[in-house]
Amino acid sequence: MQNETQASDVTDHKLAHQRNKKPVKANREKKAEQVIKPWMEDLKLLRISKEIRTEILSKYPILKENEAFRWLMAYLLWDGWRDKRTPERIVLPAKLVTFVVSEWSADNKKHWRQAWGVKAGKPITASLMFQQFSTSVLPLHLNPHRIAETCRTCLPACCNLLIEARTEHLGTTATCPVYFVSGRPALTPQHHRKVLQAQGAMQAAHLERLRPDYQRRFFWPLLELLNNTNTQQVSTVLHDNFSHAQEALSKRVSNSASLSYSTALLLQIKHTSMPVLYEPSRKGKSPRISPVDGSGPALALPKEVRQALMRGCWEFDLVSAQLAVVARLWNIEALQSFLEQACDGRGHSIWQELMDAAGLPQNGSYKPLLKEFVYACCYGMRLPALKDLLLGRGKNHNGRSVRLTQSQYGALMLHPLLRELLKARDNALAKAEQNGKVVVPFLPKAEQRFALKATDKAAKKYSNERRATARSALACASQAVELWLLMPTVEVLKRFPATQIIAHQYDGFTVAGPEYTLKEMAPQLIKAVDEQMRRYGIASKLDGKLLT
DNA sequence: CTACAAGATCCACCTGCTCA
DNA sequence: TGAGCAGGTGGATCTTGTAG
């Protein structure tokens, strides 16, 4: 440990003082343990070796001050101070550490500041502690709104489970990896049944909580389906594919920050067998259904990693969904017929068309840029900003290296489809501002109107800027349509009880199940959604493929 | 451009302590 | 008791990622 020497300077004399007071020579180590019995017992149960236990005591007598700190220390030591007899590692969330630190007394904080050479005024953060202990403990995600509550209730319970798990494994296996992720331990098989019951109850409780608000909404069946998944099946799929996902992650060319971010997410997914619960946006700004509290990370993984993680499942998504939706909502006939041809296989894709128009090479590297550009068009980005986006100026660059030249930009903007799109969206914006709402006639009656809302940014700084609110309403409207288009899948999925959705990503979803069942189901699913789209004149289709 | 989640970091502001 | 400063807190803004 790099900080041993620093800290021992501060605390050694205190310990010496204690010892001088009670000069019992018999067995210094044993005596030391007796003095701070309760937390030593905990450390024993956690199988921190005696060698380390006594070492901790001599270096950090201050440990016994706070109960929460005692546990934190045990976790950190487990990782940072490993020896032959304490080989395991704990992963714990950054927020949990921060929380525990916030429970420290002022003296305690002062002590550690000194020990670690932290400048006064600078908070003791989780990352700082991780640095100090040079561990591979990773900061993980927790919902900040719920963290305090989670920590208060979870911490003691988790510790008990941890102890139980390790006690049960004593003598049976040499190693017993127990991880703490999001404050929840991965459990031994012995606990599994209990956990499944608890998870079932959790899913039921979640649905009951949502019921009063959303039961009458058109997406309720989907919400019910998503929140009734069999977690065991999901975690089996993920567990089997974990090595593939790691491989995919290591192959991905990426900067180290995003790599460690993804690694942390992956670890969290691996070691939490929690059900993925979904709910509509909490802020009520979007009709989209997204995962809640801790289940989100699967969505935030880079696409290729996520696909590797779900190998063997079928992934379905709508082809250029938003574009097709706006073509319909804003009556852009040229775009509509172009997309129809592309879907039928008569034409080619819109991306290809635009790349050809701008004279861009067909190696796929420009597609993400174009995609971002086109969607930005759909959501009302103004011309100068659009130009900056394409020419690689301005801030929002997302680490992309490609950009268009001035002449490529000029050629692209001359494309008739694009001009139509821009014209139509300006009309739509103007109309929305004039009416104070956006109306989508083919949605269920109660769901047709979308009031103008300020975006987060606009609400803060430009609360009077009405354009921004019109943009947001347009976004909500087309996102609702997207959800509406997917609704027929619920009926189909219910006909195949062996299958289930293991991830829902706004315009698509991933379905797990037996291979032959999936194969049989896929065409029916695609047919159902395509019918829905034909009914409303949306020029898109459901694309399904087996992830390999 | 929209929406979402979580983490890191900075800074304004508040609290509470010391000393004259 | 008020001036001045140290230390802590919470909000804003940035970042990462996802989906269109």
Side-chain angles (χ1 to χ4, degrees), chain A residues 237-246 248 266 269 298 301 304-311 313 502 547:
Chain A
V237 171
L238 299 188
H239 186 82
D240 291 350
N241 288 322
F242 190 71
S243 57
H244 300 143
Q246 267 180 326
L266 208 51
I269 291 158
L301 280 173
E304 54 267 48
V305 178
R306 201 186 60 233
Q307 289 182 340
L309 197 61
M310 295 171 183
R311 189 179 284 194
C313 303
I502 63 169
L547 296 177

Side-chain angles (χ1 to χ4, degrees), chain A residues 192 196 199-200 203 225-237 273-276 497-502 512:
Chain A
H192 207 66
L196 282 180
Q199 288 179 348
Q203 287 172 319
L225 190 71
L226 288 174
N227 287 312
N228 268 325
T229 52
N230 174 348
T231 43
Q232 195 164 15
Q233 192 179 353
V234 175
S235 54
T236 308
V237 171
S273 56
M274 298 305 288
V276 182
T499 65
Q500 67 173 325
I501 295 188
I502 63 169

Side-chain angles (χ1 to χ4, degrees), chain A residues 88-160:
Chain A
E88 312 301 351
R89 182 200 296 177
I90 302 281
V91 179
L92 68 155
K95 284 280 181 181
L96 180 57
V97 182
T98 318
F99 169 72
V100 176
V101 172
S102 73
E103 295 280 292
W104 287 0
S105 70
D107 277 357
N108 208 347
K109 285 181 191 175
K110 209 171 191 174
H111 169 82
W112 289 104
R113 278 229 168 71
Q114 274 184 347
W116 295 337
V118 181
K119 229 173 66 187
K122 209 182 167 198
I124 299 180
T125 59
S127 57
L128 176 79
M129 294 190 72
F130 296 152
Q131 255 174 27
Q132 287 296 332
F133 282 91
S134 52
T135 67
S136 43
V137 179
L138 296 162
L140 296 169
H141 287 192
L142 270 187
N143 185 334
H145 305 295
R146 302 187 187 172
I147 178 65
E149 189 193 329
T150 310
C151 285
R152 270 177 228 281
T153 55
C154 272
L155 193 56
C158 286
C159 293
N160 289 337

Side-chain angles (χ1 to χ4, degrees), chain A residues 299-323:
Chain A
L299 265 180
L301 280 173
K303 198 174 176 180
E304 54 267 48
V305 178
R306 201 186 60 233
Q307 289 182 340
L309 197 61
M310 295 171 183
R311 189 179 284 194
C313 303
W314 275 71
E315 191 178 80
F316 298 90
D317 59 69
L318 298 173
V319 177
S320 46
Q322 291 303 86
L323 208 51

Side-chain angles (χ1 to χ4, degrees), chain A residues 123-372:
Chain A
I124 299 180
T125 59
S127 57
L128 176 79
M129 294 190 72
F130 296 152
Q131 255 174 27
Q132 287 296 332
F133 282 91
S134 52
T135 67
S136 43
V137 179
L138 296 162
L140 296 169
H141 287 192
L142 270 187
N143 185 334
H145 305 295
R146 302 187 187 172
I147 178 65
E149 189 193 329
T150 310
C151 285
R152 270 177 228 281
T153 55
C154 272
L155 193 56
C158 286
C159 293
N160 289 337
L161 283 170
L162 180 60
I163 291 166
E164 256 185 80
R166 292 194 64 78
T167 320
E168 276 186 25
H169 275 72
L170 266 172
T172 56
T173 48
T175 56
C176 164
V178 182
Y179 289 79
F180 266 71
V181 186
S182 291
R184 297 158 181 141
L187 295 163
T188 58
Q190 285 86 341
H191 290 96
H192 207 66
R193 193 181 303 167
K194 258 193 243 169
V195 170
L196 282 180
Q197 276 174 5
Q199 288 179 348
M202 192 185 218
Q203 287 172 319
H206 180 68
L207 273 174
E208 282 315 306
R209 208 175 62 237
L210 297 180
R211 189 181 294 276
D213 289 338
Y214 301 110
Q215 190 171 19
R216 291 160 173 278
R217 307 290 297 274
F218 72 85
F219 50 76
W220 175 254
L222 180 62
L223 213 50
E224 252 182 338
L225 190 71
L226 288 174
N227 287 312
N228 268 325
T229 52
N230 174 348
T231 43
Q232 195 164 15
Q233 192 179 353
V234 175
S235 54
T236 308
V237 171
L238 299 188
H239 186 82
D240 291 350
N241 288 322
F242 190 71
S243 57
H244 300 143
Q246 267 180 326
E247 203 179 303
L249 186 60
S250 61
K251 265 189 209 156
R252 196 179 131 92
V253 214
S254 178
N255 61 42
S256 63
S258 110
L259 187 72
S260 74
Y261 178 86
S262 303
T263 312
L265 294 183
L266 208 51
L267 266 177
Q268 177 169 7
I269 291 158
K270 184 179 177 189
H271 297 292
T272 33
S273 56
M274 298 305 288
V276 182
L277 302 176
Y278 290 84
E279 71 181 14
S281 151
R282 226 171 280 142
K283 290 184 204 162
K285 288 207 163 204
S286 160
R288 282 180 165 176
I289 293 175
S290 49
V292 299
D293 188 23
S295 21
L299 265 180
L301 280 173
K303 198 174 176 180
E304 54 267 48
V305 178
R306 201 186 60 233
Q307 289 182 340
L309 197 61
M310 295 171 183
R311 189 179 284 194
C313 303
W314 275 71
E315 191 178 80
F316 298 90
D317 59 69
L318 298 173
V319 177
S320 46
Q322 291 303 86
L323 208 51
V325 169
V326 297
R328 171 72 175 83
L329 290 182
W330 303 342
N331 296 316
I332 313 174
E333 277 170 28
L335 185 59
Q336 184 97 8
S337 62
F338 180 91
L339 290 173
E340 269 165 19
Q341 286 186 15
C343 281
D344 294 351
R346 279 178 287 148
H348 47 283
S349 89
I350 180 84
W351 313 115
Q352 172 118 36
E353 172 77 14
L354 291 179
M355 279 192 274
D356 287 347
L360 296 172
Q362 297 289 346
N363 56 14
S365 58
Y366 284 91
K367 195 180 161 187
L369 177 64
L370 275 182
K371 229 174 165 168
E372 193 176 343

Side-chain angles (χ1 to χ4, degrees), chain A residues 42-43 45-48 52 56 71-83 85-90 133 135 137 162-163 166 176-180:
Chain A
D42 295 338
L43 291 188
L45 278 166
L46 292 165
R47 296 187 68 194
I48 305 279
I52 287 186
I56 303 161
W71 284 113
L72 173 70
M73 211 49 209
Y75 303 147
L76 290 176
L77 291 170
W78 194 322
D79 193 69
W81 284 22
R82 258 178 288 175
D83 71 356
R85 267 155 289 174
T86 43
E88 312 301 351
R89 182 200 296 177
I90 302 281
F133 282 91
T135 67
V137 179
L162 180 60
I163 291 166
R166 292 194 64 78
C176 164
V178 182
Y179 289 79
F180 266 71

